[in-house]
Amino acid sequence: MINMKNLLFFVLLFFCIGQLQAQKLKLQKDNIDEIVQAMTLKEKALLLVGRNDYTFGGYDNPEQFVRFIAPSVSGYTQGITRLGIPPTALADGPAGAVVVTRPDNEKEYYATGFPVGTSLACSWNIDLVEQVGKAMGSEILEYGIDVILAPGMNIHRSPLCGRNYEYYSEDPVVTGKTAAAFVRGIQSNGVGASLKHFAVNSQETNRTEVDEIVDQRTLREIYLRGFEIAVKESKPWTVMASYNRLNGPYTQENYELLTTVLRDEWGFDGIVMTDWIQKRHTDAQIKAGVDNLQPGYQVQLEDIEKMVKDGRLSMEDIDIAVKRMLQYIVKTPHFRSYKYSDSPDLEAHAAVTRTSAVEGMVLLKNENNALPLQDIKKVALFGCHSYDFLAGGTGSGNVVKPYVVDMQQGLVNAGLEIDGDIRDMYAKYKDFWQAKNRCDRNPEERYYTEPPLKELVVSKTCINGQALKADVAILTIGRQAGEGGDRTIDEGFNLSQVEQKLLSDLCEAFHAKGKKVIVVLNVGGAIETASWKGLPDAILLAWQPGQEGGNSVADVLLGKENPSGKLTMTFPISVMDMPSSLNFPIDGRRGDRSRSERKNIDYTLHSEGLNIGYRYFSTVKRSVSYPFGFGLSYTTFTYSKPVVKSTDDGLVASIVVTNSGKMAGKESVQLYVSAPSGGLDKPALELKAFAKTGLLQPGESETLTMKVSDYDLASFDEAVQSWVSSAGRYIIKFGASVEDIRATGVYNLKKTLTWKVNDVLKPTRKLK
Ligand code: BGC
């Protein structure tokens, strides 16, 4: 018989064991459901709200949560000590890890400044992009970071978007395949990537409020397609929902986007975080499928608790997100207590950035083989940006690099001589400019970006003197842009009058002496070239090529490396030739918080639909300055007759590329498809695949193989809310650029195939 005393003893014992077990309960890969059960609402809220250091002071029980010693990065997710849930760290992206300091020491930390996104994409080399991702991911890991906030993969809808340098292309296939390779590289280190900014964040003006109005077909085929490819081909750990609205709601509050399309249709199983924004509708964000609100405010924690209590959010809504957060956390280095070294192999990665920058460079012009430079000793090096080289763009994508090799240094490293007077003139001008800006700066302006150097007026006497002394003139033209603002046409897309005059004076003086003029473009996006490209002998589009930029450019100019980049965007004759310019904030105005009804600021109509980049220019046969896919080499290539074979679910095409010139080089081949007529209107041709050779010696050949599935051929038919590949004859075109189709084949699709999806994301305004 159990007496009262014994009973009490056993009850007490069970209680204590229960307590002990609860105390012992720690997060493991296989006990996530149990952890969710054991969490209080407050703890759950903490997991869903990023940790913004400045706002957590007043939240009760702060000592319960881990003080996170890590680099000062862009954001954190909160840890909960009692359940063994570590905090995790998120850092920008995308041209390298953005690490700055640690609270416990004064040392400065640097990460490798890799080539910007545009440059990487222009390599058309998926393996190379994966290698860059791998190197960058190892820096992330070794600095104790769990996720890099990259790749940036919005579409270059207009050349004026300020953040184009972070993005890849006007084409969704290039975007998706490049992003997928980058994510695979990053994640091979056991750290995560974040596809951003999901979606249609193709303008910076009023980026947090603007409502992007896009028809369903354009949305599916252009703006979502790249994300779809990257989600399916690389399984990213995270996706970042953009700032803007899309067809009405904010993307961050859009269930159709974040759940129906991203998770249900594409099978995304990671976490969705918001782009860094103040409090919005917390309930709408969580119900839409957001798992983590960044950067995180105390009021959002309070919101969650309040909303669960008053029924605006259910515990089920919360638990779905909490569970996904835990599934993310158990994959992170912080969860596996990875002992990061704080010293990634920066030396090895400097070599990676030097060579990868070279593959993204596009040789736009090379008259009479002006390049590679031969028998040159002394260079007349003009242009402010020769001495203030732009390794990357501005904003959150600006990497804190250990150094930047500018053009001047790069050429000197390669054994060339630069006139000392010119160097002094530009160096002093740069110092003056910086000092002047420090003086002119309004100390109350919180977000300050130094105005880019304005080109220096150089006298004809100086130029003539240089033409006598130097063997060649090199002029660097630079453009800086980034987060928070779009570019202007005057002095942004177009050359300024000072630049135009400098170029024409240089050409006049140097050509009169039988000497060449080379232009190096140090830019993050397309610029105007049509009006002046006739003047210089060669134009090398170097992009913003990372910290080794000057060395990379010198490698190409001197022929140590053969350029093999090609454009992933069209260079139009004028910005106004782009149909999107009719609906783009072309005065480059900065955002304005108050929301009203201002066209291109509060809402932007994508009335051009699919008429983005080459899809438009090749369909209406309108001339451009340099077409999509264009890029010269120091050697030449021939393409064989291709072979196109049907498979169970599409086609496999192969073509033999031969180096028919005199120098070793690489060639990328673009596979375009022209669809059978009838049915939906389609662009004249669309890129479906691409491949690049290895380094081919003169006379050497390589067979490139490219796969295209029947699904890849599909267009989106709004009438039936399905992707449709119509039966018929598809012409498969193998191009050196969209305007240089070298060979064709045929693929017959015997019967029409359809893939039904959900009728979602309808535009809320008339587009035409
Ligand atoms: C940018 C994101 C970035 C985030 C964190 C935002 O302003 O749009 O691209 O990842 O800040 O720094």
Side-chain angles (χ1 to χ4, degrees), residues 74 92 149 163 166 196-197 201 207 240 243 275-276 396 483:
S74 313
D92 284 295
L149 304 172
R163 284 186 96 167
E166 296 183 66
K196 75 185 188 184
H197 309 89
N201 185 185
R207 62 180 176 158
M240 185 191 294
Y243 283 132
D275 198 346
W276 273 228
S396 58
E483 195 173 350

Side-chain angles (χ1 to χ4, degrees), residues 93-96 114-124 129 132 136 151-153 156 163-169 174-175 178-179 182 360 391-393 397 524 543-546 568-569:
F114 289 95
V116 298
T118 308
S119 160
L120 284 183
C122 284
S123 72
W124 297 77
V129 175
V132 170
M136 204 184 292
M153 49 184 304
H156 288 202
R163 284 186 96 167
N164 275 354
Y165 83 90
E166 296 183 66
Y167 306 149
Y168 296 132
S169 172
V174 176
T175 298
T178 309
F182 182 85
W543 296 118
Q544 293 170 336
T568 57
M569 73 297 291

